Amino acid sequence: MIDTARRHEFRVLASAHPKLPVLLTAGRFARRLRRVPRIGWVTSDPLTARRILNDPEHFTLLGEGGVGHLWAQVLGDWVYEIFDGPGHHQLRTRTRDLFTDENARLLTERVVGPRLAEAGAELRAGRTVDIADLARVLVGRIVADLLRIPVTEAGDDAYRKIFATGEELASLALGTTASTHLAPETIARAKVIVSRLTANVAGSWRTAPPETVLGRCRELGLEQQQAEGLATLLMVAGTETAASAMARTVALLHDTGAQHRLLREPELLPDAVREGLRVTTPAPLIGRAVAADVTVDGRLLRAGERVLMLTYTANNAAGGFDLDRGYLPDQRQLWFGAGRHLCLGAPVARAEITGMLQTLLDTGRPWRIGGRAYRKRVLIPSYAALPVSIAA
Ligand code: HEM
């Protein structure tokens, strides 16, 4: 059963990028730290990765090799302040309460609860629901709410479009494993997408109540352009990752047979969510630039070099999906990163996955998967289609 799950996960990764499974599997041999031509330093050790992520003095995401460097080329130099400088600390401190577990649960219930209830009713009526599509629609709804993107048309299409825009933008980062320098035409394309995506942020930024993300940006003194940039980042960070985790966790529970136990013991739901995140690790790599010479695990890393942390490999070294695995002190929640850039939306992601699984569990019966399609050439590996129905 674990083998079936591994086979499908392998195909999810290989469709996203043919070299990805090779990198992530071979990455096991890098363990602590190894220098790889054209990539730089590579580690798949969870403790080394966390040590690097917790050392902002020597490692930065603003230099070549980090996402800050990537986005500064598209959004502007202010990114250097908000991404890693004092502005970042202020932003994280002041926005902390926006994304507590309780707030994330309420947000999910309010924004996607009715759509999940609809999907549950369809399943109970014997119809097939494409869980991969549903996941994209759900995250589209969450992002539209967070960024106050007005949606006038009824139905799912508007949210599919929002998701697709986030994905289009993220896809521009494809192929940056070797270098985060973007070609001028890529920057130009990204700027067009950003302006389309943030067309309504300016208005909302002026009027949004302080308890919303955009209202909080205004109160923090962020300028409109910065609020637009932050909105873009939330969209890029919070769409594909969450949709990937939702669909792949549903598949893993099915493929490992763990769904039967979960149906009998629903109190294991938080374990299922954690294991789903660990095994899928939707953002499979994290990059940093070395900001100042530093010795890590006996290796001298020089300023200007790059480090690639294979978090997927680090998290999966513990073994396959297992509801009994429990909390792993070495990995902790490395699927959300670590240190000062630990995922801001982690509670939202957990609440979204919980909502999806709860909907399936509420039908009271195991689910079947009627065929699958994998997304091709994407930054975040995922299913394109995962039609699910409830066993009679
Ligand atoms: C399963 C879903 C998700 C996964 C696996 C994930 C993973 C990550 C990881 C690994 C990082 C750290 C990147 C680094 O250190 O370079 C990160 C950062 C971030 N994530 Fe997530 N993420 C998820 C969902 C979300 C959601 C739903 C949102 C927003 C609603 C979000 C917003 C962010 C933001 C804003 C950052 C940047 C934080 C900072 O630099 O301080 N993420 N995420």
Side-chain angles (χ1 to χ4, degrees):
M1 302 269 236
I2 280 279
D3 281 349
T4 311
R6 282 219 174 97
R7 189 160 41 85
H8 287 300
E9 274 292 298
F10 181 91
R11 293 189 66 184
V12 169
L13 298 177
S15 296
H17 197 296
K19 287 192 187 143
L20 193 56
V22 182
L23 174 67
L24 297 177
T25 312
R28 271 197 305 236
F29 302 107
R31 282 300 282 171
R32 288 279 178 84
L33 264 178
R34 177 171 290 204
R35 203 201 289 264
V36 177
R38 279 180 31 84
I39 293 182
W41 293 100
V42 173
T43 180
S44 63
D45 181 70
L47 298 180
T48 305
R50 200 165 31 256
R51 180 196 175 308
I52 292 170
L53 292 170
N54 276 302
D55 180 0
E57 258 178 64
H58 297 101
F59 298 95
T60 171
L61 46 65
L62 300 182
E64 152 49 54
V67 281
H69 177 246
L70 198 77
W71 289 111
Q73 296 163 74
V74 177
L75 301 172
D77 282 351
W78 61 267
V79 162
Y80 290 117
E81 160 76 5
I82 292 295
F83 257 63
D84 226 4
H88 178 260
H89 178 68
Q90 196 196 22
L91 189 73
R92 287 296 303 233
T93 315
R94 305 273 291 272
T95 51
R96 197 171 288 149
D97 61 315
L98 280 176
F99 294 116
T100 59
D101 279 328
E102 180 59 5
N103 283 349
R105 193 182 57 77
L106 294 173
L107 170 83
T108 313
E109 258 175 36
R110 174 174 62 79
V111 181
V112 300
R115 183 63 188 86
L116 278 169
E118 220 178 277
E122 282 177 56
L123 289 168
R124 277 192 296 274
R127 288 200 285 278
T128 298
V129 172
D130 180 353
I131 293 294
D133 177 61
L134 178 63
R136 293 192 286 271
V137 168
L138 298 180
V139 296
R141 282 180 179 266
I142 296 273
V143 166
D145 187 83
L146 286 177
L147 307 185
R148 299 170 77 84
I149 301 172
V151 174
T152 43
E153 51 185 290
D156 289 339
D157 273 354
Y159 301 105
R160 290 192 183 104
K161 273 186 217 145
I162 291 172
F163 182 92
T165 309
E167 188 177 38
E168 194 183 349
L169 195 57
S171 75
L172 298 178
L174 269 177
T176 56
T177 310
S179 166
T180 46
H181 282 285
L182 296 175
E185 57 274 18
T186 308
I187 297 174
R189 253 181 70 207
K191 285 188 170 168
V192 171
I193 304 171
V194 168
S195 57
R196 187 168 10 117
L197 199 151
T198 54
N200 295 302
V201 169
S204 304
W205 168 80
R206 269 190 296 275
T207 55
E211 65 276 12
T212 63
V213 175
L214 292 176
R216 192 63 59 96
C217 287
R218 185 190 59 235
E219 304 236 311
L220 270 172
L222 295 197
E223 289 161 18
Q224 179 190 316
Q225 189 199 27
Q226 298 172 337
E228 285 169 358
L230 196 73
T232 309
L233 294 176
L234 275 176
M235 176 111 170
V236 172
T239 47
E240 282 185 278
T241 45
S244 164
M246 274 191 264
R248 287 162 77 189
T249 304
V250 169
L252 280 170
L253 279 162
H254 169 272
D255 298 341
T256 55
Q259 60 163 329
H260 301 287
R261 169 129 182 253
L262 193 56
L263 278 158
R264 287 194 310 272
E265 299 173 55
E267 66 280 8
L268 295 179
L269 183 52
D271 299 278
V273 173
R274 190 186 55 244
E275 273 295 278
L277 282 162
R278 180 183 70 80
V279 173
T280 63
T281 307
L285 326 156
I286 302 180
R288 288 290 186 270
V290 183
D293 290 5
V294 60
T295 302
V296 180
D297 295 330
R299 315 297 298 266
L300 175 65
L301 280 61
R302 294 202 178 275
E305 291 181 330
R306 301 164 44 119
V307 191
L308 201 60
M309 286 153 276
L310 308 182
T311 46
Y312 179 94
T313 315
N315 294 332
N316 275 279
F321 187 97
D322 183 352
L323 287 175
D324 290 321
R325 190 167 302 283
Y327 171 77
L328 294 167
D330 282 0
Q331 279 80 5
R332 294 193 201 171
Q333 48 173 345
L334 202 52
W335 42 91
F336 286 130
R340 62 160 79 176
H341 295 288
L342 180 75
C343 177
L344 184 68
V348 178
R350 279 193 296 264
E352 287 172 314
I353 304 164
T354 304
M356 174 69 94
L357 297 185
Q358 189 68 62
T359 302
L360 286 160
L361 294 176
D362 284 348
T363 65
R365 278 174 288 160
W367 55 92
R368 287 187 299 230
I369 296 179
R372 335 180 175 211
Y374 311 89
R375 306 213 89 185
K376 293 197 178 73
R377 305 290 304 173
V378 281
L379 191 66
I380 303 294
S382 194
Y383 282 102
L386 192 73
V388 158
S389 59
I390 295 302

